[in-house]
Every structure is written in structure tokens, then in C-alpha cells.
Amino acid sequence: MNKITNETINKAESEAVSGKKTILSGIQPTGVATLGSYLGALRNWAALADTYSCYYSIVDMHAITVRQVPAELRRLQYEQLAVLIACGIDPDKNVLFVQSHVPAHAQLAWVLNCYTMFGELSRMTQFKDKSSKNADNINAGLFSYPALQAADILLYRPDLVPVGADQKQHVELTRDIAVRFNGIYGDVFKLPEPYIPKVGAKIMDLQKPTSKMSKSEIDNGGCVLIMDKPEDIMRSFKRAVTDSETSVRYDAKNKPGVSNLMQIYSVCSGKDFGAIEKEFEGKGYGELKTRAGEAVIELFRPIREEAARLIGDRAYLQAVMKDGAKKASFTANKTLSKVYKKIGFIEL
């Protein structure tokens, strides 16, 4: 596997600040709106537009690897787009688009399926995880989605791909596929590097602090959503799992619950762990939970209000989707045309 080191990440980041490089990421309509998504990805996305040429995709095609209610999937796509814009991702500065609105994604995905090995796909951790949760629907798309994800990335020749720490494997596989294809046909694809935030990259479930916060686990009360009401957010924090001790100190291995609360409070407040430990010295966990909850509520308040306003303006959101699809298609089709020519397809 094409392993990615911190050295290659730092090199790509340092090169990016000297010129307008390309950055790309995609997020499912069913998984955008969590506290973990915001602190680990969305907040960082908004700050990148001045340095990078940014493409952000709502990956509805990936969403259907598990069964969706059609009307709900449509609603979530509009809500997703509204939340992205409310988080500061300006459609005038970034290319915001829906994956299925750009046919090149499906077209390149089939080509890359033919250059992706069965063993590579079978080792992907998300396939194993989703298969265990959807035993009655282990479909071919669920197995081969990494080839589509590679197409999502390689179409735009990005320098960096913002991902959570647990998504690094997907970028590595994308690079493996690109290296294999380039080895046969020449310099077609650029090899992307992952961009992994140093703080807030992995926010854990408030009820299961050894597991990543995920919307799929919303029923257990440990997942906080951007669009949650303030009282619901505070309820989730007050019920957060901690431990039998009373000291507030960062120790991710032995005190995962407390450490998770500290990480959330740190990213929301800007305070480091040392300052937080001093702030809560002798105060116990109850106050930490309250302060962390309050910090998240205030962080999300303007975002939630602006997203609600945008959701009510369906015509504006449709215009953003249409404009984004045109911009994305212009870039994606150039890459697809080159690929088709290399493999011997006759273009009309």
C-alpha cells in the first residue's frame, strides 16, 4: 500500500501556501451535521478558500450503498448544502456540488473498478463495519465504493484531501489505484495527500468515548448534531460518560470520556489542555460537562439559525447546486476525457 507519512503531508501543505493548489473533499448527506463532522472537518474547510481552489461534494451516490428513504435523502441533501454554507463555506469562493449531478463520477468509477484489486477492497475497514451493520444488504456497491471514492478525488487532481484520521486508508488506496493506472498509461492522475487537522480531528461519542461520534449511533444519545436544539445538546453533555475518578486531566487511554470532553471544550474555547485542567481543578466532572455543552451551544447557535434560513430558500439552494455542477463538470470532464483516450475508448 502507498503509505502516507507526516513528512509528505507537511511537504504538500508547505507547497500549497506558495500557490493556489487544489483541495477536495466529499461528505454524505446522511452524515454531515455532527459535532465531530464540524470540529474535525467543516470548520477547517471554511478557512481554506483563501489558500486553495476548493471542491466540496455532497456524495449522494455513496449514501445509497445502504437503503435510503427517497424523500428523506432529497431533504437531507438540501439541509446538508444549507449547513455547509452556514458553516462558512461560501459558494462564491468554493465549488459546492452534488455528486450525482456530475456524471463523470460514475463514468470514471467504472474504469477504476477495473484497476482496483479484490484484495484491496476486501481489506477496507468501512466495508467490514457497514457489512456487519447491514447483513441483509451486502451489495456490490458497498464493496466497491472505494473505486467511486477514488474517482471522486482523482477527477479534480487535488493536492490535498481533508479527511478524518480514520479515513486515511481511503486516500492511500486512491493513491495505489492512481499509481497503478499511471504505471500503465503515463502521468494521468496526480497523487493526493490527506489533510488531517491536528486538533479536533476525531471527536468521540459521548456515551461510548472509545468510538468515533457518528450520526449512525444517534439513538444512543452520544451524538450531537449541528441542528439540535440547545436543550438537547445540553442533555447529551450532562449524560456524557466519564469515569469513577474526580480529577479533570487529559489521558485518552485511561480517561477516554473526560479526555473527549476536554478535547471538545478545547477546540470550542481555544484553551489548551493544561489551561483546562487548571480551570477545573477541584471542580469535578459536572461543571466540565456543563461548560463543554455551553461552548458547543454557542458555537452552533449562529450556524443553526443561518442554516434554517437557507433551508427555507429552496430556489437559492437549487441555484447553488446548478452552478456548482457546471463548475465541477468542467474540471471533471477534462480528466475523464484524458482517461478515456488513454484506455482506448472512442469519444463522440
Side-chain angles (χ1 to χ4, degrees):
M1 180 173 282
N2 199 317
K3 285 293 183 182
I4 298 165
T5 66
N6 288 332
E7 183 179 350
T8 57
I9 295 172
N10 293 335
K11 181 176 182 290
E13 289 187 56
S14 64
E15 289 175 348
V17 298
S18 63
K20 201 78 170 180
K21 302 294 184 177
T22 299
I23 197 165
L24 174 138
S25 194
I27 194 161
Q28 291 201 30
T30 55
V32 63
T34 71
L35 173 63
S37 298
Y38 179 74
L39 296 182
L42 300 185
R43 189 163 76 165
N44 296 289
W45 288 8
L48 295 171
D50 293 334
T51 306
Y52 299 94
S53 177
C54 300
Y55 291 79
Y56 297 122
S57 174
I58 298 172
V59 290
D60 55 339
M61 293 165 67
H62 284 288
I64 64 169
T65 57
V66 296
R67 294 288 178 260
Q68 303 291 339
V69 177
E72 180 73 358
L73 181 60
R74 280 189 287 271
R75 182 189 68 79
L76 287 171
Q77 288 177 79
Y78 282 110
E79 180 178 304
Q80 162 108 292
L81 181 60
V83 169
L84 290 174
I85 297 171
C87 287
I89 303 171
D90 187 343
D92 291 330
K93 296 181 178 179
N94 305 273
V95 179
L96 281 171
F97 67 100
V98 175
Q99 182 188 29
S100 65
H101 292 172
V102 182
H105 286 256
Q107 292 170 286
L108 182 58
W110 174 250
V111 174
L112 297 186
N113 261 312
C114 300
Y115 294 84
T116 306
M117 301 299 106
F118 182 90
E120 292 173 321
L121 295 174
S122 64
R123 289 193 292 270
M124 301 302 289
T125 56
Q126 280 205 4
F127 170 70
K128 296 174 183 177
D129 180 55
K130 287 189 176 183
S131 296
S132 66
K133 294 177 180 177
N134 299 275
D136 59 339
N137 183 32
I138 305 176
N139 56 72
L142 187 63
F143 183 69
S144 66
Y145 79 90
L148 173 58
Q149 193 168 53
D152 298 337
I153 296 169
L154 296 174
L155 278 170
Y156 302 94
R157 297 178 59 82
D159 298 276
L160 292 173
V161 180
V163 292
D166 61 334
Q167 290 285 317
K168 189 176 173 182
Q169 184 187 32
H170 291 92
V171 182
E172 290 174 337
L173 178 58
T174 296
R175 286 165 58 91
D176 288 340
I177 297 169
V179 167
R180 183 175 298 126
F181 194 93
N182 288 351
I184 300 170
Y185 300 107
D187 185 19
V188 178
F189 297 124
K190 178 181 287 187
L191 301 187
E193 307 287 355
Y195 172 77
I196 303 174
K198 296 177 177 63
V199 178
K202 195 171 184 180
I203 301 300
M204 313 307 282
D205 189 288
L206 295 177
Q207 290 296 315
K208 298 189 296 182
T210 56
S211 299
K212 181 184 174 183
M213 184 179 286
S214 169
K215 195 172 181 180
S216 64
E217 301 292 338
I218 190 171
D219 291 339
N220 76 353
C223 178
V224 176
L225 306 181
I226 289 178
M227 298 300 286
D228 278 347
K229 296 177 181 178
E231 58 268 28
D232 294 331
I233 293 175
M234 184 56 72
R235 186 180 303 113
S236 293
F237 273 90
K238 288 192 172 181
R239 294 176 177 174
V241 169
T242 51
D243 53 53
S244 58
E245 296 181 14
T246 58
S247 62
V248 175
R249 58 185 174 82
Y250 190 85
D251 183 346
K253 181 179 180 180
N254 298 306
K255 296 170 71 67
V258 173
S259 298
N260 188 41
L261 289 170
M262 289 178 68
Q263 171 133 291
I264 292 169
Y265 187 49
S266 172
V267 177
C268 291
S269 67
K271 299 178 181 179
D272 62 30
F273 295 142
I276 294 171
E277 289 176 4
K278 184 176 292 186
E279 178 181 348
F280 293 97
E281 189 173 354
K283 293 182 179 179
Y285 298 152
E287 193 162 345
L288 173 62
K289 293 179 181 181
T290 299
R291 294 277 185 86
E294 289 172 346
V296 171
I297 288 169
E298 291 310 309
L299 182 70
F300 282 170
R301 189 184 304 280
I303 298 172
R304 187 172 58 251
E305 291 174 355
E306 176 63 5
R309 184 189 71 79
L310 291 170
I311 289 168
D313 191 348
R314 182 66 64 88
Y316 169 73
L317 294 177
Q318 288 176 337
V320 170
M321 288 180 179
K322 186 175 181 179
D323 184 59
K326 286 181 179 178
K327 293 175 182 176
S329 293
F330 178 79
T331 302
N333 288 340
K334 287 195 296 184
T335 301
L336 182 66
S337 178
K338 187 174 183 178
V339 169
Y340 273 14
K341 183 177 180 180
K342 289 287 188 180
I343 64 176
F345 285 178
I346 299 172
E347 288 192 89
L348 294 176

